[in-house]
Structures are given as C-alpha cells and as structure tokens.
DNA sequence: ATGGTAGTAAAACTA
C-alpha cells in the first residue's frame, strides 16, 4: 500500500548497537521514509550497517568513539550527505553531531545539539553558538521555499509546558532563557515546530525521560527536547505529528521514544 | 541540595 505522506522520525538511541532490537522492528512497523538517529555512540568503522542492509534500508552515519554520533536510515536513496558545518578544517565533534542529506525532494538536517553541561561551563557557550551557526548554515545552503526539515535531539525545552517543574529548571542548560532564545532565533530563519502545529498547548507531551529518575515515565517527569522543525511548504502539509512511546516493548521506558511527523505529499 | 543509571569500552566520561 502506497501512502500519501512522507513519514519522518527522530530517535535518541543512547548507543545504537544496544537499541537495534527496538529500531529494526520499529522501522518495519511504522514504515518511516526517514529515521534520524542521535547518540549512536559508535565510530564509523564499527557502525552496524548489515542489519539495515538486510531489510533494504540505506544508512548514512557520522560518529566518533564512545560519544555523540548521528545517523539517517531510509528505504529511499540518501543523497548529498554532508557532516559538520562544512568548514575546511572540520571539528571532529561537530561532524559527529550534524549530518545533512537529501531524500526524495526533502532536505534533511539531523542534529545532536551539545547539551551544554552547566551554565558556567565553556560547553554552554558552544551550545549557544551552535544555534547561530546552524541558522547561518540554513540561510547559506537552503531556502525557506524548500521542503526542509531540521530534526533531532535539540536539547532545548522551548516553553514552560515542555518540561516538568519548569520553575525549578530556570538554570538548567536545556531550559535557561538564553538557550530558549538562541533556539527561537535559529527558528526565526523560517521554520516551525511540527509537534506544536498539531498539538498546541498540550501539556505533558515529552520526548525524553531521564533514566536516572525512578519511574520517570509513570511520574511524568520528562522533557520535550527532541524536535522536528520544518519550512512552510511542509508545515502547511502536516498530516500528523506524535510522540510514540511504547514502554511495553522496551527493557527501560526511555528506550522506545520516537517523535514522528507525517507530511502530505 | 544531591543523586539517581546506561552505554561505551575498558577507566572514566557524558547525559
């Protein structure tokens, strides 16, 4: 059965080799046209290409040892793959956090935005700069009239409803006003939050549950920090956008949290 | 106010 929409999803794997038992069945069941993965935590030479190839999926990946790492999986051809910000002397970590490609007539940017560690840590400045560098990349390489999607682990809860106990998170690197502002300024290039376009004002819609917090899912102690942002040609054609959490299928509840958007084509 | 656990990969480190 051919569908009249393009299904794009994003998933933070926290180690792709430890999540294949979740990712492979999920791909089969949901028939995503594009799955963007972050925190693969695997160097390129060790990337598990075979299991994807065996189910006729193409993969593009960019990783480093132990940390970070991004990948794109698709049943379609993955073209024009780039990693990092496209500098002559590319930073290894940036290359393992940013991968762009074309699938059908969609321009896709998959990012694992630096978490930032602490407000007074140098990594937090790097995080803020990432958003302006991304906006520069968008405006340099793409047009707002393109079918363009930026998705991934953005590490920002944009609004109070996007995190539990927001009053206690004002100095958190994923909720501080400076990082929310930086994210919004980046979006100001011309992209909108697909999830909020479909579910405006809906509270307790989270994409991330810290596995260190006991029963975080049941207690609704989560964050909406993974996002799918799209330009107007796509935003005006969103059929659906939803968070797929199926804890019954996972050993741990946070193992199985996908953010999905369906774009009418 | 802090810590809680998981993954990678072989002792810390990031989240």
């Amino acid at each position: 059965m051919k569908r009249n929409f393009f299904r794009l999803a994003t998933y933070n794997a926290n180690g792709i080799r430890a999540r294949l038992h979740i990712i492979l069945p999920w791909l089969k069941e949901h028939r995503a046209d594009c799955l963007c993965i972050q925190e693969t935590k695997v160097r390129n030479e060790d990337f598990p290409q075979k299991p994807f190839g065996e189910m006729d999926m193409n993969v593009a990946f960019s990783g480093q040892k132990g940390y970070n790492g991004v990948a794109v999986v698709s049943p379609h051809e993955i073209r024009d793959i780039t990693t990092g910000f496209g500098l002559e002397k590319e930073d290894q970590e940036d290359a393992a956090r940013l991968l762009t490609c074309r699938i059908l007539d969609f321009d896709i940017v998959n990012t694992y935005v630096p978490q930032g560690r602490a407000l007074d840590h140098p990594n937090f400045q790097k995080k803020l700069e990432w958003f302006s560098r991304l906006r520069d990349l968008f405006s340099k390489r793409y047009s707002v009239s393109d079918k363009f999607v930026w998705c991934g682990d953005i590490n920002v809860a944009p609004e109070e409803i996007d995190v539990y106990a927001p009053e206690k998170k004002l100095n958190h690197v994923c909720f501080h006003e400076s990082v929310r502002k930086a994210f919004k300024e980046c979006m100001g290039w011309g992209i909108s939050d697909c999830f909020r376009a479909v579910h405006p004002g809906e509270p307790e819609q989270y994409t991330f549950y810290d596995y260190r917090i006991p029963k975080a899912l049941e207690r609704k102690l989560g964050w909406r920090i993974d996002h799918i942002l799209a330009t107007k040609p796509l935003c005006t054609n969103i059929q659906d956008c939803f968070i797929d959490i199926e804890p019954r299928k996972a050993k741990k509840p946070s193992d199985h949290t996908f953010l999905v958007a369906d774009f009418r084509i």
Side-chain angles (χ1 to χ4, degrees):
Chain A
M1 258 288 276
K2 195 164 157 48
R3 300 184 300 199
N4 63 340
F5 59 82
F6 181 92
R7 171 164 286 178
L8 179 138
T10 180
Y11 175 68
N12 184 311
N14 187 26
I16 192 169
R17 287 169 290 182
R19 297 287 178 271
L20 289 172
H21 67 288
I22 288 167
I23 295 169
L24 300 174
W26 191 91
L27 279 168
K28 203 159 243 175
E29 183 183 342
H30 294 269
R31 296 199 292 143
D33 295 289
C34 172
L35 176 64
C36 293
I37 304 173
Q38 305 83 37
E39 281 204 83
T40 55
K41 293 189 174 182
V42 61
R43 36 156 98 79
N44 290 342
E45 54 267 41
D46 296 329
F47 191 93
Q49 264 184 287
K50 271 187 206 126
F52 293 103
E54 283 163 5
M55 55 190 292
D56 294 318
M57 290 284 173
N58 299 301
V59 284
F61 45 84
S62 180
Q64 64 179 152
K65 183 177 138 185
Y67 311 105
N68 311 322
V70 283
V72 172
V73 184
S74 176
H76 313 290
E77 189 188 356
I78 305 173
R79 291 141 35 227
D80 304 341
I81 299 157
T82 78
T83 58
F85 287 94
L87 308 171
E88 317 84 64
K89 202 167 169 245
E90 193 62 57
D91 182 87
Q92 279 306 299
E93 187 179 329
D94 288 346
R97 289 177 174 276
L98 169 55
L99 189 153
T100 80
C101 64
R102 259 179 92 75
I103 294 175
L104 302 178
D105 60 341
F106 289 74
D107 280 305
I108 291 155
V109 176
N110 176 21
T111 65
Y112 174 40
V113 175
Q115 192 259 10
R117 293 183 74 156
L119 292 185
D120 58 359
H121 192 279
N123 284 18
F124 188 68
Q125 276 311 309
K126 265 180 63 182
K127 180 180 191 175
L128 296 181
E129 287 162 14
W130 245 71
F131 290 104
S132 62
R133 294 171 76 197
L134 276 171
R135 180 169 170 156
D136 290 345
L137 183 84
F138 298 163
S139 55
K140 192 172 125 195
R141 211 191 282 175
Y142 307 100
S143 157
V144 290
S145 54
D146 290 340
K147 290 163 84 173
F148 169 95
V149 187
W150 168 31
C151 73
D153 180 346
I154 313 289
N155 266 320
V156 180
E159 305 294 339
E160 291 186 359
I161 52 167
D162 296 318
V163 60
Y164 74 97
E167 69 284 357
K168 291 177 185 167
K169 305 294 181 192
L170 294 170
N171 289 323
H172 192 287
V173 289
C174 296
F175 190 62
H176 190 263
E177 57 166 348
S178 62
V179 82
R180 292 160 63 194
K181 185 164 164 255
F183 176 44
K184 278 164 201 169
E185 281 172 2
C186 184
M187 288 177 63
W189 172 64
I191 41 181
S192 306
D193 181 335
C194 294
F195 184 80
R196 280 298 171 221
V198 176
H199 304 277
E202 252 185 62
E204 295 174 340
Q205 295 293 313
Y206 304 134
T207 62
F208 167 71
Y209 295 89
D210 193 331
Y211 42 68
R212 294 171 296 188
I213 300 174
K215 305 239 183 280
L217 183 69
E218 295 89 319
R219 295 161 65 200
K220 299 178 176 171
L221 304 180
W223 296 72
R224 196 174 72 87
I225 55 173
D226 302 87
H227 304 289
I228 298 173
L229 301 311
T231 49
K232 207 160 192 178
L234 292 180
C235 277
T236 52
N237 283 294
I238 303 174
Q239 185 162 97
D240 199 4
C241 187
F242 59 94
I243 299 160
D244 177 36
I245 303 180
E246 296 187 63
R248 285 170 302 160
K249 295 188 180 174
K251 290 178 196 154
K252 294 131 222 136
S254 53
D255 278 1
H256 202 273
T257 306
F258 294 79
L259 173 64
V260 187
D262 295 334
F263 301 104
R264 278 187 288 272
I265 52 172

